[in-house]
Amino acid sequence: MTKRRRTRILLGVTGSIAAYKAAEIARYFMKRGCVVRTVISESAEKFISSLTFESLTGQPVLRSFWEETKPGAIGHIALADWADGVVVAPASADCIAKAAHGFADSPLLAILLATRAPIVFAPAMNVNMFEHPQTQENIDTLRARGVTFVDPGSGSLACGWKGRGRLADASEVYSVTMRALGPHDLIGKRVLISTGPTREAIDPVRFISNRSSGKMGVALAREAYRRGATVTLVHGPLSPSPRLPTTIHRVSITSATELREEMLRRVEDSPDIVIMAAAVADYRPAQAASEKIKKSAARRAIELEANPDILVEIGERKGGSPKPFLVGFAVETGTPEELVEEVRRKLSRKNADLMVGNLAQDSFDKDTNRVCLVPRRGDTISTDTARKSAVARKIFDLIGDLTK
Ligand code: C5P
């Protein structure tokens, strides 16, 4: 997979008690491969030192217009042009008001006017300041101009009040920013994804399951969200529970029967893309005991019955229609050649538009994967081992090509 240029994020930090959290946000973006530069307001410096950001990011921090001639400093227009995205976190009421009215009396405000890059504001302030009609009007003004807002959370605020106004956490700021940066090819599309294992109860304390971690489906949900889709993720037990953008609709299920019910109900709403990445248990105990089975016999047989094949059922409902674009997964053991053969068989049996094949040893419980992509029309593509986020990107690139 081709190496991409690192995304350049300009982080604007303004005067709020939450300014200390901006350090964590800078780290979060950097850990995910972004280059971060910081511009800090005078009042933010009362809460956190520019040295913190200089040390964390390894880049000089822009503090005032009058320092720009210093060696190593970079001018505000150069920074505005450099950025792929400008993230203001925390964004104070004052900064939002001034930005809405086009003020340019600080480097950050000037950058907000000068940049052509997407702008994201993550407000943090007292609940009454946030809910004040003037602040809300300022937010609406900026929104109408294409600025994206990361909704603040609710809870206890540093000022002693309870309510909306807490700076969103770093993962939310990151996800919303990446969505604002694009590629936007799934805007207006609804994507339904299943992931994770199912658990089939033997009795109240035991179950049959498999080694699926659900990470591939989670990566697909994040990628669909990044591209602008409205995403529903129906998932079996995931441990640890992943942090997902708050607007991804999560539905938690346990058994294949529950998964079937949730998926078929949602397929009725005609989503654009359906991806069955869940590792559905093929069999369930014919009878789940209502009490714990006692350890008495030396041997015990559990009678199993087959679970319904949900992908087949969705494929039948789809029939010859192009919608939903239906994607299935297949996990196998064996050689890569055997995998492709098996995946081809499943593609036609399940009436999918695309099947993604992976070997258990390459995928289960790993952050990386190696897959073969077998479309109904077109050539099979085999990928190298890459992070599941990169594999998810590749899968949506292909879906984009196949649905053109
Ligand atoms: O036949 P196999 O289990 O290998 O097929 C895998 C694909 O079928 C996956 O997309 C999986 O989510 C789906 N599946 C299903 N219902 C089952 C078993 C598998 O939807 N009972």
Side-chain angles (χ1 to χ4, degrees), residues 66-123:
W66 323 117
E67 279 189 346
E68 291 185 4
T69 48
K70 271 190 177 176
I74 172 162
H76 62 280
I77 299 297
L79 267 186
D81 294 341
W82 170 86
D84 295 319
V86 180
V87 179
V88 187
S92 64
D94 180 64
C95 171
I96 292 169
K98 284 183 167 162
H101 292 89
F103 280 63
D105 58 356
S106 76
L108 174 59
L109 290 167
I111 285 168
L112 292 173
L113 288 180
T115 192
R116 295 288 183 92
I119 298 172
V120 175
F121 273 71

Side-chain angles (χ1 to χ4, degrees), residues 76-329:
H76 62 280
I77 299 297
L79 267 186
D81 294 341
W82 170 86
D84 295 319
V86 180
V87 179
V88 187
S92 64
D94 180 64
C95 171
I96 292 169
K98 284 183 167 162
H101 292 89
F103 280 63
D105 58 356
S106 76
L108 174 59
L109 290 167
I111 285 168
L112 292 173
L113 288 180
T115 192
R116 295 288 183 92
I119 298 172
V120 175
F121 273 71
M125 65 196 74
N126 163 271
V127 54
N128 297 330
M129 288 172 79
F130 182 70
E131 288 178 353
H132 194 287
Q134 183 64 68
T135 303
Q136 289 302 313
E137 201 179 303
N138 295 335
I139 290 174
D140 289 345
T141 302
L142 289 167
R143 273 210 171 108
R145 287 192 205 130
V147 171
T148 302
F149 277 80
V150 191
D151 290 335
S154 288
S156 320
L157 305 175
C159 55
W161 281 74
K162 276 201 168 75
R164 278 203 302 168
R166 267 158 80 131
L167 180 63
D169 67 25
S171 74
E172 183 72 3
V173 176
Y174 175 81
S175 305
V176 173
T177 303
M178 291 303 135
R179 183 174 164 106
L181 264 56
H184 304 147
D185 57 333
L186 292 183
I187 284 183
K189 304 279 183 207
R190 286 180 301 129
V191 178
L192 174 63
I193 300 171
S194 73
T195 199
T198 65
R199 284 182 181 170
E200 311 302 323
I202 296 170
D203 67 18
V205 295
R206 305 179 181 98
F207 54 79
I208 297 173
S209 191
N210 57 63
R211 292 181 189 281
S212 166
S213 63
K215 287 179 179 172
M216 193 61 241
V218 166
L220 286 162
R222 288 198 174 113
E223 180 61 11
Y225 170 86
R226 185 178 78 90
R227 291 174 182 242
T230 302
V231 183
T232 301
L233 181 66
V234 184
H235 63 85
L238 303 180
S239 163
S241 176
R243 251 181 207 284
L244 286 171
T246 52
T247 51
I248 290 184
H249 180 47
R250 289 170 75 144
V251 181
S252 150
I253 57 90
T254 304
S255 66
T257 309
E258 285 170 32
L259 176 61
R260 174 177 177 274
E261 205 170 289
E262 291 293 347
M263 291 302 285
L264 294 185
R265 190 154 60 80
R266 288 180 160 76
V267 165
E268 291 295 304
D269 296 338
S270 42
D272 298 281
I273 300 170
V274 175
I275 306 180
M276 277 295 298
V280 188
D282 289 321
Y283 292 94
R284 63 170 177 247
Q287 208 103 58
S290 57
E291 299 289 333
K292 185 184 167 194
I293 299 170
K294 298 278 183 265
K295 185 172 58 179
S296 48
R299 272 166 186 264
R300 183 181 290 279
I302 301 172
E303 198 190 338
L304 300 177
E305 65 186 11
N307 270 325
D309 193 311
I310 306 163
L311 182 55
V312 166
E313 286 189 65
I314 300 172
E316 277 166 4
R317 285 170 195 220
K318 169 185 159 77
S321 154
K323 202 171 150 185
F325 187 89
L326 187 55
V327 183
F329 268 71

